[in-house]
Amino acid sequence: NEGPAGPREADALREAAGQAALILHGERLRHEVSRSRERELVRDLVAPDPVLRDEAARMLVEEDLATADG
């Protein structure tokens, strides 16, 4: 079909754009949560409490955010 999109095509395009926006928004939120978790663990890594530091180090390695190698 050549020429301008009709109402049916326009509705389909709006629906596709809305779905794409939801997917991108969800990805952005997941990224923000992940970054927040990383910041929290790094903060705990330098905390005065040795138990908190050890737990943060363990979680950073467990969550593949850091390696245990020297």
Side-chain angles (χ1 to χ4, degrees):
N1 186 357
E2 296 294 323
R8 189 178 300 167
E9 291 88 2
D11 287 343
L13 289 171
R14 276 192 286 279
E15 177 67 25
Q19 292 298 320
L22 286 174
I23 290 168
L24 291 172
H25 181 67
E27 288 177 6
R28 173 73 179 178
L29 289 176
R30 283 187 290 281
H31 176 74
E32 288 179 18
V33 167
S34 177
R35 295 293 297 153
S36 178
R37 176 71 176 145
E38 290 173 21
R39 284 190 296 272
E40 177 184 295
L41 290 171
V42 169
R43 179 202 64 212
D44 292 349
L45 195 58
V46 296
D49 180 355
V51 174
L52 191 57
R53 287 194 311 264
D54 289 346
E55 178 68 12
R58 186 182 67 75
M59 293 305 297
L60 282 164
V61 171
E62 189 174 296
E63 294 178 20
D64 289 327
L65 300 172
T67 63
D69 297 337

